[in-house]
Each structure stands twice: as C-alpha cells, then as structure tokens.
C-alpha cells in the first residue's frame, strides 16, 4: 500500500509555473509582484453537504478548485496559487487518480499552481472533506468588493442562471430533465468560473460577487454591504430554457432565484458603462444581462409581469 508521501507525490505533485518552491517542503514559497495585493480565500467541500457521497471524483476535484477560482473572479483577482487539504475515509487509488485529474484539469484551465496542502485520514466512512485555499493577485487598491454599489446602478449577471439547481433537483428526484440533463449536470459538477470577466470588471463595476448560494442571497450581500436596495425583473434574468416553460410556477421561481451553485458573476455598474459592458460581452462571447437596478430604499423586490414575486426564502443558508 502507498504511503502518504507516495500518494502526495503521485497525485498532487505537478510542475508549477509561477512558484518559487512548491510541494515537498514545510512551506511553499511564492513571490508576489510589486504593486500587487494578494487576494486569499478558502472554500471547503464536505461529502453529503456539497456533493453526494458517490459523486464522480473528477467533478469533485474540478469543483473543489473551481469554486475557489470563482471567488478570485468575484474580486477581480488573477488566481495563481492554491493549497489542498483533504481528509480521506480510505485510500482508493482509482478515486484519487480521477479526483486529481479533475483538480488539475481546472488548475491547468485557469493557470493555478498547486503549491502544498495536507493529506489525512477521516475517521468516519462518510467523512470525505476537501478544503482548498486560493491566492491571487490584484493591483493594489483595485479589487472588486461587495460594497460600492450606488443607488441607480444597473445590476448585471453573466451567463445563465438556474442550470446547476435544475441538475441538483433532477438528482434529488424532484424533477425529470431530458434534453437539458447533460448540460445541467455539467453546470452542477464542472462549473466555469468567470475569471476573464472578473479581471475586465475592475475598471467597470462598482461592486461584484459570485453567485454560489443563489442570486437573491448573494445580491443581498452586495445590497447590505453597499447600503442600498434593488428591484429585479424576473423575466430579464437569463436562465436555462427549462424555466421558460412556466416562470409563474413558484417552485421554478425559487430554483432560479435561490438555487445556487451558478458561479456566475453578479455586479453593479453605473448606467454610463452600458456600452462598455455590451462590447465586453461580445468580446468574451459571454452573455451579460441587466436584470434590474439598485435604489436608495433598503429592500429587495422581484417583479414578474408587473406583480411582486413572493420571496419565500432568500437563498440557501447552511445554518438556517
Ligand atoms: P508537514 O508534516 O511538514 O506538514 P506533510 O507531510 O503534511 O508536511 O506534507 C508534505 C508536503 O506535501 C508539503 O509540502 C505539503 O504542502 C504537501 N502536501 C501534502 N498534502 C498535499 C495535498 N493534498 N496536495 C498538495 N500538496 C500536499
Ligand atoms: Mg502536514
């Protein structure tokens, strides 16, 4: 049987591109460029909470890093380095091989070096836990934040929302997807963080967040930090075609507004930036849509065909 060090060597040591000293010593060494700040974030994935115990390991590996890359995108930071702490109930090498393949596929796509971590045994058979810390660079003072939205700003989102929530609902047996199934499962298991958009928004957006817990919950964070409110138009929210069957259905509304796992960016910008954002959307070949606007009153309202949408539960809160 492989030792812990053999496992690290085989599955978690890959050549790096912008690292002084990577896996293998007591700490990694990196050099931050002059004039840059480090953006640092951690996201943990727990079996049974963030993925099913029997989920395909490739997707778990991809997503463990992708959700962290998405946090860099939201800050307008260039992701560069990551560490990976993993608690494994048992060593199943084919599982580790696939996990590692997914993790490094994401690392290669977004040019992130894995520079260290920790590998330990979980003491319960469902205890698989994966914690990734990511570090990125942003020119000093230019990071995008949740605060900064001004009353009267447009509210934008990238891509389409709701596909991951549909995929999850399918796996939970709540709905049956047919044509959309592959697309929605891909959205759920191998999300695409919007790094290029995040970098471009540094000069454009007044605030930004990535949508991980659902549009309403995450936009709510922007509104709270920026001390303003918003009105959204449900029919303007870019969404998977499945929702267009019946947007008046409250279950579908809930999935679209509070579903989560989208990893799209939601940001605010002055109306004067519209043309710039539209040309950015063309340049990136990525839809970016205005879904509403901010206002001075501290409330969040969603309209659908000129009626208010009932906001049953604003997103997913792990401790609610
Ligand atoms: P120490 O006992 O000094 O903390 P470890 O034996 O835990 O060191 O780890 C040895 C080396 O392997 C370290 O450089 C550590 O960062 C790296 N490492 C351990 N686990 C992982 C992992 N899952 N992914 C990447 N690097 C890892
Ligand atoms: Mg250690």
């Amino acid at each position: 049987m492989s030792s812990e060090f053999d496992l690290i060597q085989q599955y978690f040591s890959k050549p790096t591109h912008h690292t002084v000293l990577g896996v293998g010593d007591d700490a990694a060494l990196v050099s931050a460029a002059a004039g840059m700040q480090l953006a640092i974030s951690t996201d943990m994935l727990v079996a049974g909470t963030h993925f099913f115990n029997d989920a395909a390991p490739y997707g778990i590996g991809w997503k463990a890093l992708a959700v962290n890359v998405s946090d860099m995108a939201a800050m307008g930071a260039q992701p560069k380095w990551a560490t990976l702490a993993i608690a494994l109930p048992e060593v199943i090498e084919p599982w580790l091989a696939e996990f590692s393949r997914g993790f490094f596929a994401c690392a290669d796509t977004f040019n992130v070096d894995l520079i260290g971590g920790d590998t330990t045994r979980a003491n319960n058979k469902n205890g698989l836990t994966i914690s990734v810390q990511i570090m990125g660079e942003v020119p000093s003072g230019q990071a995008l934040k949740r605060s900064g939205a001004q009353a009267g700003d447009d509210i934008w989102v990238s891509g389409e929302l709701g596909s991951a929530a549909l995929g999850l609902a399918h796996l939970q047996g709540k709905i049956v997807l047919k044509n959309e199934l592959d697309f929605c499962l891909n959205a759920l298991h191998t999300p695409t963080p919007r790094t290029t958009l995040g970098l471009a928004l540094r000069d454009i957006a007044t605030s930004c967040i990535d949508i991980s817990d659902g549009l309403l919950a995450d936009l709510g964070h922007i509104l709270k930090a920026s001390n303003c409110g918003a009105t959204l138009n449900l029919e303007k929210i870019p969404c998977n075609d499945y929702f267009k069957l019946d947007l008046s259905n409250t279950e579908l509304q809930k999935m679209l507004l509070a579903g989560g796992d989208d990893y799209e960016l939601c940001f605010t910008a002055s109306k004067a930036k519209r043309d710039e954002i539209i040309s950015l959307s063309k340049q990136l070949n990525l839809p970016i849509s205005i879904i509403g606007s901010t206002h001075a009153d501290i409330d969040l309202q969603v309209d659908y065909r000129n009626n208010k949408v009932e906001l049953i539960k604003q997103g997913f809160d792990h401790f609610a």
Side-chain angles (χ1 to χ4, degrees), residues 4-5 8 25-26 117-119:
E4 178 191 330
F5 304 102
I8 294 166
D25 217 305
D26 288 309
D118 203 13
T119 307

PDB file of all heavy atoms in Angstrom, residues 4-5 8 25-26 117-119, ligand 2:
ATOM      1  N   GLU A   4       1.544   7.876   2.672  1.00  0.00           N
ATOM      2  CA  GLU A   4       1.007   9.226   2.468  1.00  0.00           C
ATOM      3  C   GLU A   4       1.891  10.007   1.484  1.00  0.00           C
ATOM      4  O   GLU A   4       1.400  10.713   0.610  1.00  0.00           O
ATOM      5  CB  GLU A   4       0.966   9.908   3.845  1.00  0.00           C
ATOM      6  CG  GLU A   4       0.484  11.329   3.847  1.00  0.00           C
ATOM      7  CD  GLU A   4       0.731  11.992   5.208  1.00  0.00           C
ATOM      8  OE1 GLU A   4       0.728  11.280   6.234  1.00  0.00           O
ATOM      9  OE2 GLU A   4       0.935  13.212   5.222  1.00  0.00           O
ATOM     10  N   PHE A   5       3.221   9.817   1.618  1.00  0.00           N
ATOM     11  CA  PHE A   5       4.128  10.607   0.777  1.00  0.00           C
ATOM     12  C   PHE A   5       4.091  10.148  -0.671  1.00  0.00           C
ATOM     13  O   PHE A   5       4.193  10.959  -1.586  1.00  0.00           O
ATOM     14  CB  PHE A   5       5.537  10.573   1.376  1.00  0.00           C
ATOM     15  CG  PHE A   5       5.523  11.063   2.786  1.00  0.00           C
ATOM     16  CD1 PHE A   5       5.565  10.172   3.863  1.00  0.00           C
ATOM     17  CD2 PHE A   5       5.365  12.418   3.057  1.00  0.00           C
ATOM     18  CE1 PHE A   5       5.482  10.636   5.157  1.00  0.00           C
ATOM     19  CE2 PHE A   5       5.280  12.884   4.359  1.00  0.00           C
ATOM     20  CZ  PHE A   5       5.336  11.988   5.422  1.00  0.00           C
ATOM     21  N   ILE A   8       0.962  11.686  -2.157  1.00  0.00           N
ATOM     22  CA  ILE A   8       1.148  13.115  -2.463  1.00  0.00           C
ATOM     23  C   ILE A   8       1.991  13.256  -3.722  1.00  0.00           C
ATOM     24  O   ILE A   8       1.665  14.016  -4.639  1.00  0.00           O
ATOM     25  CB  ILE A   8       1.813  13.840  -1.272  1.00  0.00           C
ATOM     26  CG1 ILE A   8       0.871  13.838  -0.070  1.00  0.00           C
ATOM     27  CG2 ILE A   8       2.194  15.269  -1.651  1.00  0.00           C
ATOM     28  CD1 ILE A   8       1.544  14.216   1.243  1.00  0.00           C
ATOM     29  N   ASP A  25       8.227  20.714   0.702  1.00  0.00           N
ATOM     30  CA  ASP A  25       8.953  21.259   1.856  1.00  0.00           C
ATOM     31  C   ASP A  25       7.937  21.577   2.947  1.00  0.00           C
ATOM     32  O   ASP A  25       6.752  21.258   2.829  1.00  0.00           O
ATOM     33  CB  ASP A  25       9.770  22.490   1.429  1.00  0.00           C
ATOM     34  CG  ASP A  25      11.110  22.543   2.164  1.00  0.00           C
ATOM     35  OD1 ASP A  25      11.095  22.503   3.411  1.00  0.00           O
ATOM     36  OD2 ASP A  25      12.155  22.587   1.480  1.00  0.00           O
ATOM     37  N   ASP A  26       8.407  22.208   4.016  1.00  0.00           N
ATOM     38  CA  ASP A  26       7.478  22.514   5.115  1.00  0.00           C
ATOM     39  C   ASP A  26       6.523  23.649   4.756  1.00  0.00           C
ATOM     40  O   ASP A  26       5.458  23.772   5.353  1.00  0.00           O
ATOM     41  CB  ASP A  26       8.260  22.842   6.387  1.00  0.00           C
ATOM     42  CG  ASP A  26       8.880  21.574   6.959  1.00  0.00           C
ATOM     43  OD1 ASP A  26       8.138  20.597   7.131  1.00  0.00           O
ATOM     44  OD2 ASP A  26      10.102  21.546   7.186  1.00  0.00           O
ATOM     45  N   GLY A 117      -0.343  21.480   0.732  1.00  0.00           N
ATOM     46  CA  GLY A 117      -1.599  21.038   1.302  1.00  0.00           C
ATOM     47  C   GLY A 117      -1.376  20.112   2.466  1.00  0.00           C
ATOM     48  O   GLY A 117      -0.308  20.109   3.084  1.00  0.00           O
ATOM     49  N   ASP A 118      -2.381  19.298   2.746  1.00  0.00           N
ATOM     50  CA  ASP A 118      -2.263  18.314   3.810  1.00  0.00           C
ATOM     51  C   ASP A 118      -3.162  17.133   3.445  1.00  0.00           C
ATOM     52  O   ASP A 118      -4.235  17.323   2.868  1.00  0.00           O
ATOM     53  CB  ASP A 118      -2.695  18.948   5.145  1.00  0.00           C
ATOM     54  CG  ASP A 118      -2.093  18.223   6.340  1.00  0.00           C
ATOM     55  OD1 ASP A 118      -1.170  17.397   6.149  1.00  0.00           O
ATOM     56  OD2 ASP A 118      -2.559  18.474   7.457  1.00  0.00           O
ATOM     57  N   THR A 119      -2.680  15.941   3.735  1.00  0.00           N
ATOM     58  CA  THR A 119      -3.434  14.739   3.414  1.00  0.00           C
ATOM     59  C   THR A 119      -3.580  13.940   4.693  1.00  0.00           C
ATOM     60  O   THR A 119      -2.582  13.607   5.328  1.00  0.00           O
ATOM     61  CB  THR A 119      -2.688  13.904   2.346  1.00  0.00           C
ATOM     62  OG1 THR A 119      -2.403  14.747   1.230  1.00  0.00           O
ATOM     63  CG2 THR A 119      -3.517  12.720   1.891  1.00  0.00           C
TER      64      THR A 119
HETATM   65 MG1  LIG B   2       1.182  18.344   7.260  1.00  0.00          MG
END
